[in-house]
Amino acid sequence: MHALLTPNVPPSLRMLLDWGHFFVIILKIISFRNLIYRLGASIACLFPLSTCSQARDIFYHDYVVGTTRPFEFLQNIYSPTCKDEHLHKSLDAVALAYLNYQRRSSGAEEEARQSYVSAIGYTSAALQSPGQAKQDTTILAILLLDLYEKITSREPTFHGAWAAHLSGALTLVKLRDDRQFDDPSVIRMLMRLSTNLLISCVASDRPVSLELVALRGTIAAHFPTPIDPKWRESDLMVEFASLRQDIQKGVLSDDEAMLALINLDAKFVRLGLQVPPAWQYKTVQVGAKSNHHYEPFHLIHPAEHVAQMWNTLRLTRILLNELISYRSSDCQRKQSANPELVAIHQCATKAINEMASDICASLPQYIDDPPLSFAEAFANDGAEIFNSKTEHRTAPLGQPDPTRHLPCYRLIFPLFVAAQSTAVPPSLWKWVIKQLRFIAAYHAIENAMSVANILESGPKQQIWNVYAMLGSYAFVC
């Protein structure tokens, strides 16, 4: 059309005019889009998201669709339009509790508490209905209520009611028929239930029930894809819990206990050697150590859930080999010098140090690089960042990557297990405390400083009490 209005214009100039007209149109479209964007932003300011909506968004990101996805099944079982009020309230309660953990919001904390009380009431009513009690939504609601309690717990101990919700959910599972195992999402939910129950048994020093063992066997038989290393690792944790109970009850003789511990440790070693390529990590040598390198190498795991699997394996091997070391030393005191016991003790000490070193080497991948001024303060033993005995911050935080918060939090417990062992050198203990101070200061994770202070306090602390204080499987899934 533009060409019809300018018949005497040369073709080359006419083309330029056509392109100019085209760009004018594009600029108008961009201007219009910017106007719409600004208008939308203004409307958003006038009608901000409610605290509960923000909480759900954050919870969904970190627990349902994020990197580790411990509650991935939720999106296939829960619908915002469902009529199960006990599930709505349970989700609100745990999401608001998690928001309060992230941002220390008194408003979110109070809303979370109110939603929890309401959810308990609705769930109790649902359990009175034989039909509703056996629904997927009721089991999911109970899992969420249990998660709420772990996120909000400040108790450094496992009391009697720790697994009450999970035990109730297991009872409901037994009331349902085998058709529940036909749905992959339900199988995932039951895997989460069984894993959390198993962790509760290990951490509270209770035996693994036959009902839980049976559930795990049925899940494995119906699982639609090959069982991953993390599930096989949890099978070994069942053996760990059972063996520990047998030793404590005196079911095994000293020699039998020693042999059983060594054999179980060998199973963990084989698991590490048999992981598929997608679960293998790389060792990267460095020319010069950074502030976050204990030794001149670090490990790169392909995904965070892979790093979790490996660090669980490492810390469990530390605990196993501490038992082996203790029992071998005890046997040496009862017997005359025995070369075999000396060799066992040396192998256990070596395994503890190798596992502790690898836990430390998993830190650089997730720690994040601070601003130069912060890094310089940290290099000076962290004295300018934190007072070693308090949580009083004396240096600016900088701008840490928020996506590193949970990965760093999940490293606190493995680092603690590595540093608390009497078999590791003092240099590792000191290095871990320094890293925990950095995590506390730069990533604003108060519990990191609490654990650093526990390590500094001297007397050895109960490992699983520290795990409970950190929120247990609410964060380490």
Side-chain angles (χ1 to χ4, degrees):
M1 182 176 184
H2 187 79
L4 293 175
L5 296 175
T6 56
N8 297 322
V9 175
S12 59
L13 183 57
R14 186 182 305 162
M15 184 179 296
L16 288 174
L17 290 172
D18 288 342
W19 276 106
H21 185 63
F22 173 75
F23 280 120
V24 168
I25 294 174
I26 293 297
L27 289 172
K28 287 182 177 179
I29 292 173
I30 293 173
S31 298
F32 180 72
R33 287 183 63 183
N34 289 339
L35 177 63
I36 294 298
Y37 176 80
R38 288 195 296 271
L39 182 61
S42 299
I43 293 173
C45 291
L46 292 173
F47 304 99
L49 283 175
S50 67
T51 303
C52 192
S53 295
Q54 294 178 53
R56 284 198 179 200
D57 287 347
I58 294 173
F59 180 81
Y60 258 77
H61 178 271
D62 288 350
Y63 282 83
V64 182
V65 297
T67 55
T68 56
R69 300 189 295 276
F71 277 75
E72 179 184 16
F73 51 84
L74 186 145
Q75 57 192 324
N76 295 321
I77 297 176
Y78 170 77
S79 169
T81 59
C82 76
K83 297 180 180 179
D84 297 296
E85 198 64 27
H86 61 308
L87 180 54
H88 285 299
K89 292 297 183 182
S90 298
L91 180 56
D92 287 347
V94 71
L96 286 161
Y98 185 59
L99 177 66
N100 178 56
Y101 160 77
Q102 290 276 38
R103 300 183 181 177
R104 287 291 183 263
S105 166
S106 58
E109 182 177 22
E110 181 57 31
E111 280 191 62
R113 190 180 298 110
Q114 292 175 1
S115 294
Y116 176 75
V117 172
S118 181
I120 289 291
Y122 280 115
T123 302
S124 297
L127 292 173
Q128 302 305 311
S129 167
Q132 197 172 12
K134 294 188 287 186
Q135 290 181 358
D136 297 338
T137 52
T138 300
I139 294 178
L140 177 55
I142 294 173
L143 280 175
L144 293 172
L145 289 173
D146 174 71
L147 187 64
Y148 167 90
E149 293 191 355
K150 302 307 178 286
I151 290 175
T152 58
S153 174
R154 297 293 182 270
E155 294 295 324
T157 184
F158 287 82
H159 49 73
W162 181 267
H165 285 309
L166 298 180
S167 298
L170 182 59
T171 300
L172 295 180
V173 171
K174 291 190 293 182
L175 296 176
R176 292 151 49 110
D177 58 42
D178 286 347
R179 285 178 296 178
Q180 65 184 311
F181 298 103
D182 295 335
D183 186 338
S185 295
V186 174
I187 290 179
R188 291 277 184 190
M189 179 174 68
L190 297 181
M191 287 178 73
R192 174 50 45 197
L193 169 63
S194 72
T195 299
N196 290 358
L197 265 171
L198 172 59
I199 293 172
S200 294
C201 292
V202 172
S204 59
D205 202 15
R206 291 184 293 110
V208 177
S209 67
L210 294 177
E211 292 84 358
L212 177 55
V213 173
L215 173 61
R216 291 179 59 82
T218 307
I219 289 172
H222 288 81
F223 201 67
T225 59
I227 298 296
D228 63 35
K230 202 167 184 180
W231 181 262
R232 297 208 306 272
E233 182 179 65
S234 65
D235 283 338
L236 295 181
M237 294 302 293
V238 173
E239 292 190 42
F240 174 67
S242 299
L243 175 57
R244 194 174 57 179
Q245 285 289 310
D246 288 344
I247 292 174
Q248 290 175 357
K249 291 177 181 178
V251 175
L252 304 175
S253 67
D254 288 344
D255 289 344
E256 288 172 336
M258 179 85 73
L259 182 60
L261 288 166
I262 292 172
N263 287 339
L264 182 54
D265 183 57
K267 290 182 180 181
F268 277 97
V269 173
R270 281 198 297 274
L271 173 63
L273 294 173
Q274 294 171 354
V275 296
W279 289 76
Q280 294 173 8
Y281 60 85
K282 295 180 180 179
T283 301
V284 179
Q285 302 292 332
V286 296
K289 294 193 299 183
S290 74
N291 290 324
H292 304 300
H293 283 81
Y294 175 64
E295 294 187 275
F297 71 90
H298 61 262
L299 306 179
I300 298 295
H301 300 87
E304 193 191 342
H305 68 278
V306 176
Q308 284 186 36
M309 186 280 293
W310 277 104
N311 277 337
T312 299
L313 183 148
R314 291 163 187 147
L315 71 87
T316 306
R317 287 200 64 208
I318 288 174
L319 299 179
L320 274 171
N321 280 279
E322 282 185 330
L323 289 172
I324 294 171
S325 177
Y326 170 78
R327 299 191 78 83
S328 62
S329 297
D330 191 49
C331 288
Q332 286 184 67
R333 285 192 292 271
K334 295 177 182 177
Q335 305 174 19
S336 58
N338 186 327
E340 185 177 354
L341 290 174
V342 172
I344 289 173
H345 181 80
Q346 290 174 344
C347 286
T349 301
K350 180 182 178 183
I352 291 170
N353 278 275
E354 287 177 351
M355 294 302 99
S357 178
D358 282 353
I359 287 172
C360 295
S362 69
L363 180 69
Q365 181 179 5
Y366 297 107
I367 196 68
D368 199 9
D369 293 321
L372 182 60
S373 59
F374 196 95
E376 290 173 345
F378 175 69
N380 187 26
D381 289 333
E384 298 175 28
I385 300 174
F386 253 104
N387 180 299
S388 63
K389 295 296 183 183
T390 70
E391 293 178 359
H392 175 64
R393 187 174 289 114
T394 59
L397 285 177
Q399 295 295 326
D401 182 351
T403 64
R404 303 293 182 95
H405 183 94
L406 275 180
C408 283
Y409 194 97
R410 290 169 179 144
L411 283 167
I412 296 174
F413 184 64
L415 288 169
F416 169 75
V417 173
Q420 59 77 45
S421 176
T422 55
V424 302
S427 59
L428 187 143
W429 171 83
K430 183 179 180 181
W431 182 89
V432 166
I433 291 175
K434 184 176 179 180
Q435 303 307 312
L436 291 172
R437 288 179 186 165
F438 173 86
I439 292 172
Y442 188 58
H443 291 279
I445 299 176
E446 294 177 6
N447 274 342
M449 180 53 64
S450 298
V451 173
N453 290 340
I454 288 172
L455 285 171
E456 275 194 317
S457 64
K460 191 172 181 178
Q461 299 290 321
Q462 286 291 332
I463 287 174
W464 298 110
N465 286 351
V466 174
Y467 183 69
M469 182 194 76
L470 291 172
S472 68
Y473 50 76
F475 302 111
V476 184
C477 305

